[in-house]
Amino acid sequence: MSTKVLTAPAARLWSRSFIFIMVANALLFMVFEMMLPTLPLFVSKLGGGASQVGLVTGIFMFSAILIRPFTAKLAAKFDKKYLLLTGLAICALMTGAYYLSTSIGMILVFRVLHGLGFGLATTYFATLATASIPKERRGEGLGYFGVGETVAVSVGPLIGTAILMRYDFGNLFFGGAFILLLAVLMTAFISRKPQADAESEAVHGEAKVKLIERKVLFPSLLILLVGIAAGSIMSFIALYAAEKGFGAVAWFFFIVAAASFAVRLVSGKMFDRFGPGSVLVPSAFFMIAGIGLLTLAGNEAMFLLSAVLYGLGFGAVFPAIQTWCVNLVGEHEHENAMASFFNFFDLGIGGGAMILGLIASAFSYELVYDVAIAVMVVYLLLYAGYAIRNRKKRV
């Protein structure tokens, strides 16, 4: 008589709420990316120079970083879903309000408010996505969740530029606001699970304002280094390509997005099964190889191949470190963990771009990418030291 071994079915990942969270988050980042190449042109139209353009960009990131340490405290008093809706609504209103700007001062005020909304929305999107993903599939789920962000990096600037070339700033800003209102509508249909028990609520109610969540300090440091390396691509690849005579910059970003999407089909599952190191180490080597090939590229084929390698690395490492941060804390600390994660990443991109910009001005873009490679080597050395120390503790 034969017996059948029954195995428990895999926990369900693709719920309606998770799909709405993923798409709405992608729309948020798409509008953000639409503004990156176009808002400086609007600042210039208002009479601003290079310093004002830098201020408009920097004050947005500073505002987003400033609000994130308060997200856990706010979540202890208000429902996360309503806080997310508030953040998205602010982003929508401020995107449309840019058209009303008649001076640099006005646009700076709108940028501060927009940054506050963006800081709230990005943090609560990440924590609500985490809550809707089965714990045993968290790496896989957060990998899929971040696909929209990756696609937005390549598609957003193209859409923003195309709208501006065909229409005007009014259509750009109001179109962005309309897209964000769609994100608000999707978010309204997200269903929230109640707190597991009264004890969890009590712990959550004691949430404090934290500039840095110490439990995720090490992975946050790693994402800071990744941010510096990624900033070298985001900020200077168009200028580097123009200097080299490559005209396929749009294809470069498209390939980065496609490679990032492809690798997340497997990297999240690897994280869930084998742990952080199985993704964090190979992804760093792919990023180093991609950036290294970029410095050696003598033709557009090599230029685009570097995009494949870089996309495979960055596409895997970002959600892996994000998942690692979430796994290191309790559920009531997810906001603090995500606040630290995003703030360190934003600091890496913003601060790194400023430093690398000085290097590019004084030396060359090749040196910028050499520095980016060195940063990723430091990343590998830090993680190797961490892994060795933890292995000794287990012995």
Side-chain angles (χ1 to χ4, degrees):
M1 185 177 181
S2 63
T3 59
K4 292 183 179 180
V5 178
L6 298 178
T7 58
R12 184 185 177 200
L13 173 62
W14 295 101
S15 64
R16 185 189 70 179
S17 290
F18 177 66
I19 294 171
F20 280 175
I21 290 170
M22 184 175 69
V23 175
N25 180 66
L27 295 177
L28 171 69
F29 274 88
M30 187 173 75
V31 174
F32 171 76
E33 295 293 336
M34 284 169 58
M35 296 298 121
L36 280 182
T38 54
L39 201 57
L41 299 176
F42 187 66
V43 173
S44 178
K45 181 183 176 183
L46 293 178
S51 60
Q52 283 79 18
V53 169
L55 185 59
V56 165
T57 302
I59 203 168
F60 177 92
M61 301 309 300
F62 176 77
S63 180
I65 290 170
L66 187 65
I67 193 63
R68 287 191 181 120
F70 297 90
T71 52
K73 191 69 175 177
L74 289 170
K77 296 183 177 181
F78 306 101
D79 190 290
K80 296 177 189 179
K81 176 179 173 179
Y82 298 129
L83 290 168
L84 173 55
L85 286 168
T86 300
L88 282 174
I90 292 172
C91 290
L93 289 172
M94 292 306 106
T95 300
Y98 288 143
Y99 188 66
L100 303 177
S101 300
T102 57
S103 66
I104 301 299
M106 281 184 69
I107 202 169
L108 286 174
V109 171
F110 292 145
R111 287 296 276 175
V112 169
L113 295 174
H114 192 174
L116 293 175
F118 188 77
L120 290 174
T122 51
T123 302
Y124 293 125
F125 261 133
T127 55
L128 286 176
T130 301
S132 67
I133 298 169
K135 189 173 182 180
E136 61 271 25
R137 300 183 69 180
R138 188 173 282 166
E140 179 186 2
L142 286 177
Y144 292 136
F145 168 72
V147 165
E149 299 172 13
T150 304
V151 172
V153 169
S154 59
V155 175
L158 297 177
I159 294 175
T161 304
I163 292 174
L164 194 56
M165 289 178 64
R166 185 163 184 175
Y167 301 104
D168 56 18
F169 285 109
N171 284 279
L172 173 68
F173 296 140
F174 294 138
F178 177 76
I179 292 171
L180 289 171
L181 288 176
L182 289 179
V184 171
L185 183 62
M186 286 186 179
T187 304
F189 286 97
I190 294 172
S191 59
R192 289 263 289 116
K193 292 187 297 183
Q195 287 286 352
D197 50 47
E199 181 181 354
S200 178
E201 290 184 0
V203 173
H204 198 156
E206 297 171 1
K208 297 178 180 178
V209 175
K210 289 186 178 181
L211 294 177
I212 299 174
E213 174 54 65
R214 292 184 181 180
K215 294 178 183 177
V216 301
L217 181 58
F218 182 72
S220 295
L221 177 60
L222 294 183
I223 201 63
L224 172 73
L225 297 175
V226 171
I228 294 173
S232 71
I233 299 293
M234 295 179 188
S235 300
F236 304 109
I237 192 65
L239 297 171
Y240 178 69
E243 183 179 87
K244 290 287 187 177
F246 302 145
V249 176
W251 278 106
F252 181 94
F253 282 111
F254 177 81
I255 290 172
V256 168
S260 297
F261 174 80
V263 76
R264 291 183 189 198
L265 298 177
V266 295
S267 63
K269 295 178 181 179
M270 287 176 58
F271 182 100
D272 291 332
R273 186 171 181 182
F274 302 110
S278 66
V279 178
L280 298 184
V281 173
S283 60
F285 279 112
F286 273 110
M287 286 186 68
I288 289 171
I291 299 172
L293 184 60
L294 187 63
T295 64
L296 301 173
N299 53 58
E300 291 200 351
M302 292 178 66
F303 178 65
L304 296 179
L305 179 58
S306 72
V308 175
L309 296 173
Y310 172 80
L312 291 173
F314 180 74
V317 74
F318 186 89
I321 297 179
Q322 185 178 27
T323 306
W324 190 17
C325 287
V326 170
N327 287 348
L328 289 174
V329 299
E331 185 174 349
H332 62 283
E333 298 170 306
H334 283 174
E335 286 79 23
N336 285 329
M338 288 299 93
S340 294
F341 171 82
F342 281 115
N343 280 350
F344 272 73
F345 182 66
D346 288 345
L347 283 171
I349 289 180
M354 291 174 63
I355 296 172
L356 294 174
L358 294 175
I359 292 173
S361 298
F363 300 98
S364 65
Y365 291 115
E366 282 86 355
L367 185 58
V368 165
Y369 293 117
D370 288 339
V371 171
I373 292 171
V375 166
M376 291 308 298
V377 171
V378 172
Y379 162 104
L380 280 171
L381 293 174
L382 286 175
Y383 185 77
Y386 171 87
I388 292 170
R389 187 184 66 181
N390 277 13
R391 189 173 300 169
K392 288 181 179 179
K393 286 182 179 179
R394 295 192 198 103
V395 176

